[in-house]
């Protein structure tokens, strides 16, 4: 069985066929999906999905692109919602220097506040890092994020950045871009990450893997990421599925399937 460690199944792209998408994921061997709510609009719908489907868990937090909109009241709201039994982590949080929709100093402050809250609550954190590798690592270090650890979501950095994250108790997660023919750097990093720190994800509806690149992504396609990872590491698909599933259960403290 597989675990998709990062999905956005509450996105409007799934409004027409969400039930079918979740069914197809199960038919493709996906036993569990970790869905992400990252602002005022998506956190409630993320929790609704987790309540409706036994196989779906929630991670909630505040996305760096929306950092300028977050208030202290929002942070208190998130803190209260983390008591929900299906919430297994905080995020996605971090820095996004690609879109730059929020001032960078505001992004950093919102990131720091969330790390501090996660440490108080003893919850793993899910990191969004777009073109901000050095600053993300520095903030994680300064805020002692290694106390809770978490996931470097859809990792696109260098092996050096991955090593720094690994030293702070983080797992390295790869998504659809790993399957692209020109994905030289992700493949090189994926070849070196310790097997007990590897994770797979879709980030659906975004970052669709080959052979569906250019179309809407969905959780069932995490299988293609697992297959590519198995090829890179010289393992069978079944062994890679077992390893990444065990890692996902460890980082999110998920119960074993019934």
């Amino acid at each position: 069985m597989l675990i998709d460690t990062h999905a956005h199944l509450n996105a409007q792209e799934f409004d027409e066929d969400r039930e079918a998408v979740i069914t197809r994921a199960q038919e493709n061997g996906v036993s569990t999906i970790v869905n992400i709510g990252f602002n005022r609009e998506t956190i409630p719908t993320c929790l609704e999905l987790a309540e409706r489907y036994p196989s779906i868990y929630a991670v909630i937090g505040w996305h760096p692109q929306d950092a300028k909109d977050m208030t202290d009241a929002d942070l208190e709201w998130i803190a209260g919602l983390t008591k929900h039994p299906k919430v297994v982590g905080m995020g996605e949080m971090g820095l996004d220097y690609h879109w730059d929709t929020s001032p960078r100093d505001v992004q950093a402050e919102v990131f720091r506040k969330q790390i501090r809250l996660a440490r108080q609550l003893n919850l793993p954190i899910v990191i969004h890092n777009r073109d901000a590798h050095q600053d993300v690592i520095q903030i994680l270090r300064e805020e002692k994020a290694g106390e809770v650890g978490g996931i470097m979501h859809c990792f696109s950095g260098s092996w050096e950045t991955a090593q720094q994250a690994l030293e702070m108790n983080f797992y390295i997660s790869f998504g659809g871009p790993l399957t692209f023919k020109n994905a030289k750097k992700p493949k090189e990093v994926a070849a070196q990450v310790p097997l007990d720190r590897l994770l797979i994800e879709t980030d659906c509806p975004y970052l669709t893997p080959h052979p569906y690149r250019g179309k809407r992504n969905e959780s069932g396609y995490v299988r293609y990421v697992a297959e590519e990872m198995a090829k890179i590491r010289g393992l069978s698909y079944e062994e890679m599925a077992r390893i990444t599933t065990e890692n996902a259960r460890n980082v999110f403290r998920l119960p074993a399937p019934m």
Side-chain angles (χ1 to χ4, degrees):
M1 301 299 278
L2 299 166
I3 294 180
D4 181 2
T5 61
H6 197 111
H8 298 281
L9 291 174
N10 49 330
Q12 63 182 12
E13 286 88 345
F14 297 111
D15 285 351
E16 299 298 317
D17 62 346
R18 188 171 287 109
E19 187 87 36
V21 167
I22 292 168
T23 298
R24 277 198 296 274
Q26 292 168 338
E27 290 169 350
N28 269 314
V30 180
S31 65
T32 305
I33 298 166
V34 180
N35 202 68
I36 316 295
F38 55 83
N39 57 23
R40 280 187 211 114
E41 292 71 41
T42 59
I43 288 172
T45 55
C46 178
L47 290 173
E48 286 168 17
L49 265 185
E51 288 170 354
R52 184 174 174 188
Y53 295 96
S55 63
I56 296 180
Y57 289 84
V59 165
I60 58 173
W62 211 268
H63 199 287
Q65 285 179 239
D66 299 311
K68 64 183 185 296
D69 301 320
M70 196 192 84
T71 65
D72 287 341
D74 290 317
L75 198 63
E76 289 178 24
W77 175 58
I78 290 169
L81 292 176
T82 60
K83 296 179 176 65
H84 192 291
K86 294 296 286 288
V87 171
V88 295
M90 276 189 62
E92 58 189 281
M93 64 179 78
L95 302 174
D96 193 314
Y97 292 173
H98 177 78
W99 295 113
D100 258 350
T101 52
S102 288
R104 293 185 180 186
D105 60 333
V106 176
Q107 290 189 46
E109 185 57 28
V110 166
F111 187 18
R112 289 179 187 276
K113 285 180 176 179
Q114 290 186 89
I115 296 171
R116 291 167 196 164
L117 178 59
R119 285 175 56 214
Q120 289 174 25
L121 299 169
N122 193 30
L123 284 172
I125 56 179
V126 175
I127 303 300
H128 175 102
N129 170 16
R130 191 92 188 262
D131 300 341
H133 306 301
Q134 189 173 348
D135 287 354
V136 164
I137 292 296
Q138 182 178 337
I139 289 174
L140 290 174
R141 277 206 186 109
E142 290 175 356
E143 296 297 336
K144 301 181 176 64
E147 290 181 9
V148 289
I151 298 172
M152 304 301 284
H153 141 66
C154 203
F155 190 78
S156 61
S158 65
W159 172 233
E160 181 186 8
T161 301
Q163 285 176 298
Q164 292 171 321
L166 289 164
E167 288 167 6
M168 287 186 282
N169 198 25
F170 278 81
Y171 290 70
I172 311 296
S173 183
F174 295 90
L178 187 72
T179 68
F180 301 166
K181 287 181 180 177
N182 62 349
K184 184 181 177 188
K185 186 162 68 172
K187 291 179 194 292
E188 288 175 354
V189 176
Q192 298 177 81
V193 174
L195 287 174
D196 64 354
R197 294 294 186 89
L198 273 177
L199 291 172
I200 52 175
E201 62 172 272
T202 60
D203 198 23
C204 65
Y206 319 108
L207 300 178
T208 313
H210 177 79
Y212 295 103
R213 189 176 183 181
K215 299 179 180 177
R216 182 192 68 177
N217 200 3
E218 55 183 74
S219 281
Y221 295 168
V222 76
R223 178 182 188 95
Y224 298 103
V225 184
E227 287 173 350
E228 182 65 25
M229 186 74 76
K231 194 186 305 177
I232 290 168
R233 299 305 296 252
L235 297 172
S236 69
Y237 167 78
E238 291 76 17
E239 184 66 4
M240 185 53 65
R242 184 193 67 76
I243 288 167
T244 54
T245 294
E246 185 176 318
N247 293 344
R249 294 202 182 284
N250 287 339
V251 68
F252 287 126
R253 304 167 202 152
L254 298 172
M258 301 298 287

